[in-house]
Amino acid sequence: MKPSPLDYVRATSVDHAIELLASDNDARLLAGGQSLMPVLNLRLGAPELVVDIGRIDELRSLEFADGDVPATRGVLRIGAAMTQTEVATHPDVNGRWPMLVAAIAQIGHPQIRNRGTVCGSLAHNDPQAELPAVAVALGATMIARSVRGERSLSADDMFHGAFTTALEADEMITAVEFPEPSPEQGWSFREFSRQPGDFATAGVAAVVRRNAGSIESRLVVFGLGGGPTRATLIEEALLNAAGPDLESSVIEQWAATLDPVDDAHTSARSKIRHAQRLLVEAVAEAWERM
Ligand SMILES: Cc1cc2nc3c(=O)[nH]c(=O)nc-3n(C[C@H](O)[C@H](O)[C@H](O)COP(=O)(O)OP(=O)(O)OC[C@H]3O[C@@H](n4cnc5c(N)ncnc54)[C@H](O)[C@@H]3O)c2cc1C
């Protein structure tokens, strides 16, 4: 199928893009098009205006802001026109944000990653997408602009249910900032998909670190139907843990809070079993890397 009739404008600057967004209640941004084009072609959406932000020079940036005092970690700032491949193949990203690189490697196929943007994936918030979960695990911040001004959105506040975020209809993400993981932090990224390149059936992004005698963690589960979700029961159980082994009663208690639905390929029960296994594996791996 082909999209419904629409107007297409290639924005020349961020100001131009947000003015166009504000001018039409039914406008949508186009970044890499890897999610929006299927939506248009299948007529799951029919915006009047599509605003292409893929060639705005000021959004094609990858910046490393190093902390200005020794104890402060650096920040990776990814502009909204940077593709997933451009981010993952940058040598400094590879060395300092390994979870981001590991997660991008799991997204679809190279052709998808060569076009799809990091910020587009965050804005889209597909429940099976890797990057919203990584953003929550690493404590990322989204920078959103509209004609009303600019604001920062923490990943904890950004992602609501499936395909739903805290962004207003007239806002665009101009960049996302990932704080640099601290050296004493362990991480793991694990997912199960039916075959390489498929969206995840279930996945876990895990970060653990020792702090003043206790274990702080951010354990984020995705693929089960809602947005990325922290496994807070397990995070609490880890606080005073001496090792990564989790009691099965705690895992079962946490699993009872999950509420996936059956789909054409996988039953809800199977999804829960995958999530339980991946969580146990991810905690063990992150602990080992701590
Ligand atoms: C065959 C196939 C397999 C795929 N497999 C995976 C997978 O395994 N994992 C995965 O995570 N993704 C997968 N994807 C999706 C892919 O990662 C997309 O690139 C990504 O979800 C969206 O990025 P984009 O730049 O293409 O955004 P677009 O498709 O251009 O836009 C997506 C949505 O986000 C909005 N948007 C885009 N940029 C911004 C912005 N800066 N500010 C505000 N709103 C914005 C758009 O208006 C639109 O609603 C797959 C896609 C295909 C076609």
Side-chain angles (χ1 to χ4, degrees):
M1 279 173 71
K2 292 289 169 216
S4 306
L6 51 81
D7 289 330
Y8 167 92
V9 179
R10 182 178 289 165
T12 53
S13 66
V14 170
D15 285 344
H16 186 203
I18 58 179
E19 275 160 26
L20 287 164
L21 266 188
S23 71
D24 189 330
N25 287 338
D26 204 13
R28 290 286 284 277
L29 296 176
L30 174 74
Q34 298 305 293
S35 296
L36 185 62
M37 291 313 297
V39 165
L40 299 183
N41 287 340
L42 293 167
R43 300 205 177 188
L44 298 171
E48 283 174 5
L49 172 65
V50 167
V51 179
D52 189 345
I53 58 170
R55 299 197 193 181
I56 298 178
D57 282 345
E58 61 194 294
L59 297 179
R60 290 205 39 76
S61 61
L62 202 60
E63 291 167 16
F64 299 87
D66 284 302
D68 47 10
V69 289
T72 310
R73 288 175 284 152
V75 173
L76 166 64
R77 186 181 170 103
I78 303 169
M82 294 302 287
T83 67
Q84 294 152 7
T85 296
E86 286 170 327
V87 173
T89 55
H90 192 289
D92 288 342
V93 178
N94 203 349
R96 293 165 70 185
W97 284 268
M99 184 199 278
L100 187 54
V101 176
I104 289 175
Q106 302 283 335
I107 297 176
H109 303 277
Q111 294 87 337
I112 308 297
R113 305 193 288 265
N114 289 345
R115 290 233 168 222
T117 61
V118 169
C119 292
S121 177
L122 298 174
H124 194 54
N125 193 23
D126 188 308
Q128 293 177 293
E130 288 80 2
L131 293 180
V134 171
V136 176
L138 294 181
T141 302
M142 269 57 60
I143 314 300
R145 279 266 299 276
S146 71
V147 290
R148 291 169 287 112
E150 183 172 282
R151 65 177 177 140
S152 298
L153 282 161
S154 77
D156 285 335
D157 296 332
M158 170 79 176
F159 305 108
H160 297 171
F163 304 107
T164 315
T165 69
L167 281 180
E168 301 288 344
D170 66 344
E171 281 182 313
M172 72 180 281
I173 301 176
T174 53
V176 57
E177 294 181 346
F178 284 91
E180 184 169 10
S182 61
E184 66 274 15
Q185 185 168 306
W187 67 278
S188 177
F189 184 85
R190 301 214 155 212
E191 74 173 49
F192 170 80
S193 55
R194 290 172 57 247
Q195 54 186 4
D198 276 6
F199 275 99
T201 302
V204 175
V207 168
V208 297
R209 74 177 189 119
R210 282 197 183 83
N211 187 20
S214 63
I215 304 294
E216 287 178 352
S217 59
R218 292 175 80 86
L219 310 175
V220 187
V221 180
F222 67 98
L224 300 187
T229 307
R230 285 178 71 177
T232 44
L233 268 174
I234 309 286
E235 291 178 2
E236 284 160 17
L238 279 179
L239 268 177
N240 298 310
D245 296 334
L246 298 161
E247 281 181 28
S248 54
S249 60
V250 178
I251 298 173
E252 289 302 329
Q253 201 187 339
W254 165 70
T257 66
L258 304 174
D259 192 21
V261 290
D262 296 340
D263 63 33
H265 305 294
T266 317
S267 68
R269 191 178 160 72
S270 262
K271 289 180 191 177
I272 291 174
R273 293 291 163 231
H274 285 305
Q276 284 178 300
R277 176 181 56 78
L278 292 166
L279 186 80
V280 170
E281 290 173 0
V283 168
E285 185 173 50
W287 191 287
E288 199 169 304
R289 287 176 169 154
M290 183 164 61

